[in-house]
Amino acid sequence: MNVARPTVSEERGLAIADRYPALREAVDRLGLAGRWKAATWLARCVGFVLGLVGAGMLAGVLRLFPAPLFIGGLLLLVAAEWLIARRHVVRSGFEEAMYLCGATAVAVQLLIWIDTDNASLAVALVAMAVLLAGWRLLNPLFTTLATADLTLSIGLFRTTLFDGRLNTLAAALACALLAAGALVAGGRSWQRPSHDRMLDGLVIAMPWLAYGWVIAYPGNIAQKWLPLALSLAFVVATTAVGASRRAHPPLVSALGSAACALHAVYMLLGWPVHWRLIVIGALALAAAVLLERLLRDRRNGITSRPIDEPAGLDLAHLAAAAHLPSAPGVPSGPAPAPAVQGQGGDFGGGGASGRF
Amino acid sequence: MHDLSPELVALRAAAPQTAVAQAAVAQAERLERREVLSIHRELLVAMYAAVAVLVAGIGLLLKQHLRDIGPGTLLTCLLVASLACHAVAWRARHLGRERSLGEDYVLLLGALLFSAAVGYAELRFRLFGAGWSRHLLLLAIWHLAVAYVFRSRLVLAVALTALAAWLGVELRLGSAIEPRHSWFGLGPRALLCALFYYAGSFFHHVGSTGIGGPDGAFHNGFREVYRQFAAHFAFWGTLAMIGDEATRWLGAAVLVVLAVVVGRMGLAERRESYVLYAVGYGTIGLVWLESVLLRDRTLTSLIGLVTVIGAVALLMKLRSRLKASAP
């Protein structure tokens, strides 16, 4: 059976249009993306929220039916497939929300029918549903979430060995192995950008999860040096790979692992909380400023200056800055606006405006 | 890894033979061949997180040592640190060069430290007495001035937030306009804020300033910050009005008008974000209104489902129009 999805060449065309907004028109003219219509990331977010609201409304309509989750889930899956096959919608957010909710609803209904109190099985089943949605839609976020769910099911697995305390270490080991495997697999050439992104998702998320599982271990080892050693090992490995491949995902992973390492230092220090925060914040800021200065002139192809890549984070940071506390004891007013636009625009010369 | 350069070679011939288009293809090819990598965004995230942690630590320090540290010492330390941060930005300005990314965030840190100092001074010395919220206005004016002197969008965002906080607190306490009237609740106050922001965007009107050169980038950036804040505050205001029984219908009417105006503006200026705000906020408002007005849950869900499907269809149509209108 042929499932409706972009071919390899169409997906690569979509990736070019997504990554280089200035080339969208040329991609359309050449027909590289076929008949598929993708959305900018802001449109995708709005579509996803609308999809979630729609799925919730459908659940409300079907609540009096027998097996509402199963019927609703199947309806959502069919509707999402219809959208993909007939409207040639891909990564619009809407069909993704429908697929995710549909697959999860069916899995939850199955769990209700099985009537199990095995938390590990329940989590694994939901993870498989999310994995199915991720595989079908070539969505790296879903596949990463599903993998994280699967490691959670390892952590929750019932065992009498050491009162089940080793489960957290087993989950940490699984995460670390997955991260290492994805890091290695990311070195080969992949035709579909989405497959590469799926590996990137694992490279980014798994080290953080491994750290989380290690510090969740109830034994003494968690309070000592293992979390710090693990996160530092990941910082070194991912930075080396990111720098040698000149790729963003390992560097993002390194950033997260550096945050984990700082957290480990935070836990090791016996100082009052505020001094720990001040020292760690100052260290991180100094390191970032130093790095920025060092790489102002390109070194080995790496620079801290922005180049003409879509920089959707610019306005997001503007909004995020407004969330910082203005003063202790100052009453909070209305929340600041998340000044975020779709990517690919002309705002401020380097930001994103969503302008086509 | 994946490399899209084979496709880019084909695109090179198809792209317009203008210098800009060919440069865009050449840049894309360099990126795909991984000749160059910018870690600008990673550094943005790192610096933001570092500043947030540092400010949180300073906030905690102040909270826990209010009595131990003398107020004079504390204020002096905060103000000196803030001054030092501003001095970094001043140096760049004095040398006539653009601030680096790090200097931008140091300036933000300086602004936040100044906020902490003023907030502490107000808390400790009650400088404004009963009208204590005026210190927020003072902060807003100060940050606004700093934002314009240093042309910093980050500090402008802080200024607009302080202004929103002042308007929210001041009007609720009733020292500016009629105090505890339900018609001047959260929603109308947010709308008033949005009006201020929108008015602010007119100081950076494209027609009067031009869009080329460094000044153009400055005006474009500031105008966009004002307009983005205005759009969000206006929509939040209407949603809050819908939530309040006294202003429900007025809120619904304002929401519809606002969604139409913002949506049309987005189409006219070919800005997808405004179209998305119009459809997204409009749908949320309508679904909320339906849920408030209709008692029957099944009927509410059914009508809500139809609303969402309609919104998605509308969104697809508007996006097609946007794409078709591209030059």
Side-chain angles (χ1 to χ4, degrees), chain A residues 9 12 15-16 19-20 22-23 25-30 32 38-40 42-43 46-47 49-51 53-54 57-58 60-61 63-64 83 87 89 94 185-191 193 196-197 242 245-248 251-252 255 273-275 277-278 280-282 284-285 288-289 291-293 295-296 298 301-315 317-318 320-342 346-349 353-356, chain B residues 1-8 10-11 14-16 21 24-25 27-28 30-32 34-48 50-62 64-65 100-103 105-106 108-109 112 115-116 119-120 123 132 135-136 139 153-154 157-158 161 164-165 168-169 186 217 220-222 224-225 228-229 232-233 236 269-274 276-277 279-280 283-284 287 296-298 300-302 304-305 308 311-312 315-316 319 322-323 326-327:
Chain A
S9 58
R12 291 168 70 86
I16 291 177
R19 207 172 296 169
Y20 308 107
L23 301 178
E25 203 190 325
V27 168
D28 284 347
R29 199 170 333 117
L30 274 184
L32 285 183
T40 56
L42 182 59
V46 173
V49 171
L50 289 178
V53 174
M57 293 297 160
L58 183 64
V61 173
R63 72 195 168 94
L64 299 177
L83 264 179
R87 308 287 303 184
V89 164
F94 190 65
R188 63 161 286 197
S189 182
W190 296 90
Q191 286 301 303
D196 202 16
R197 293 272 176 261
R245 287 182 196 157
R246 290 182 194 144
H248 283 292
L251 295 178
V252 174
L255 206 61
V273 176
H274 50 268
W275 284 122
L277 287 176
I278 289 170
I280 284 172
L285 187 61
V289 169
L291 200 60
E292 195 264 337
R293 289 183 77 92
L295 294 175
R296 239 178 247 171
R298 199 192 307 173
I302 300 176
T303 176
S304 62
R305 290 185 189 278
I307 45 179
D308 288 343
E309 291 180 277
L313 279 176
D314 197 12
L315 268 180
H317 276 86
L318 204 63
H323 281 84
L324 289 166
S326 57
V330 173
S332 59
V340 178
Q341 293 180 285
D346 57 5
F347 170 62
S353 65
R355 187 193 284 258
F356 282 92
Chain B
M1 287 199 296
H2 64 274
D3 179 4
L4 300 173
S5 42
E7 281 81 3
L8 289 170
L11 271 176
V25 178
Q27 176 74 300
R30 285 173 64 214
L31 288 170
E32 286 303 319
R34 295 170 196 271
E35 288 173 13
V36 61
L37 174 77
S38 166
I39 59 164
H40 181 78
R41 282 184 274 178
E42 284 85 351
L43 286 174
L44 270 178
V45 175
M47 285 180 187
Y48 172 72
V51 169
V53 170
L54 197 55
V55 171
I58 291 168
L60 272 179
L61 175 72
L62 294 186
Q64 292 183 4
H65 293 275
S100 69
L101 187 63
E103 287 166 341
Y105 275 80
V106 168
L108 173 67
L109 181 64
L112 294 171
S115 291
Y120 173 70
L123 195 72
W132 57 269
H135 83 277
L136 291 168
L139 275 178
R153 282 178 284 158
L154 285 168
V158 177
T161 310
V169 175
L186 185 65
N220 280 336
F222 270 48
E224 263 318 291
V225 173
Q228 291 284 340
F229 266 73
H232 285 290
F233 269 75
W236 289 345
E269 296 182 10
R270 295 205 323 277
R271 282 183 183 274
E272 189 190 35
S273 54
Y274 291 119
L276 292 171
Y277 297 157
V279 176
T283 309
I284 290 169
V287 170
D296 185 63
R297 273 176 60 192
T298 311
T300 308
S301 302
L302 189 62
L305 185 61
V308 171
V312 171
L315 196 59
M316 285 180 170
R319 291 197 67 242
L322 268 175
K323 202 167 184 180

Side-chain angles (χ1 to χ4, degrees), chain A residues 47-197:
Chain A
F48 194 81
V49 171
L50 289 178
L52 288 182
V53 174
M57 293 297 160
L58 183 64
V61 173
L62 296 175
R63 72 195 168 94
L64 299 177
F65 282 62
L69 289 175
F70 189 73
I71 296 172
L74 284 184
L75 278 175
L76 284 171
L77 291 176
V78 169
E81 285 292 351
W82 179 84
L83 264 179
I84 296 167
R86 298 287 170 196
R87 308 287 303 184
H88 294 94
V89 164
V90 61
R91 291 185 221 135
S92 78
F94 190 65
E95 94 283 5
E96 291 170 307
M98 288 202 297
Y99 226 102
L100 182 69
C101 292
T104 311
V106 170
V108 172
Q109 184 70 66
L110 286 177
L111 283 170
I112 292 171
W113 281 336
I114 295 168
D115 193 20
T116 177
D117 60 346
N118 186 340
S120 177
L121 176 69
V123 171
L125 196 60
V126 171
M128 293 312 291
V130 178
L131 193 62
L132 173 77
W135 166 80
R136 171 65 188 92
L137 301 173
L138 299 167
N139 185 314
L141 179 65
F142 291 174
T143 53
T144 308
L145 279 177
T147 316
D149 261 10
L150 283 173
T151 62
L152 178 64
S153 77
I154 296 174
L156 294 173
F157 193 72
R158 275 185 194 165
T159 171
T160 51
L161 196 66
F162 296 105
D163 290 334
R165 284 188 306 163
L166 284 180
N167 284 6
T168 53
L169 285 186
L173 184 65
C175 290
L177 288 176
L178 277 167
L183 208 56
V184 173
R188 63 161 286 197
S189 182
W190 296 90
Q191 286 301 303
R192 274 195 187 272
S194 56
H195 289 164
D196 202 16
R197 293 272 176 261

Side-chain angles (χ1 to χ4, degrees), chain A residues 171-223:
Chain A
L173 184 65
C175 290
L177 288 176
L178 277 167
L183 208 56
V184 173
R188 63 161 286 197
S189 182
W190 296 90
Q191 286 301 303
R192 274 195 187 272
S194 56
H195 289 164
D196 202 16
R197 293 272 176 261
M198 287 175 189
L199 290 172
D200 290 344
L202 296 181
V203 167
I204 291 170
M206 287 303 125
W208 308 349
L209 279 174
Y211 177 80
W213 280 117
V214 169
I215 59 168
Y217 179 70
N220 280 338
I221 194 172
Q223 278 85 45

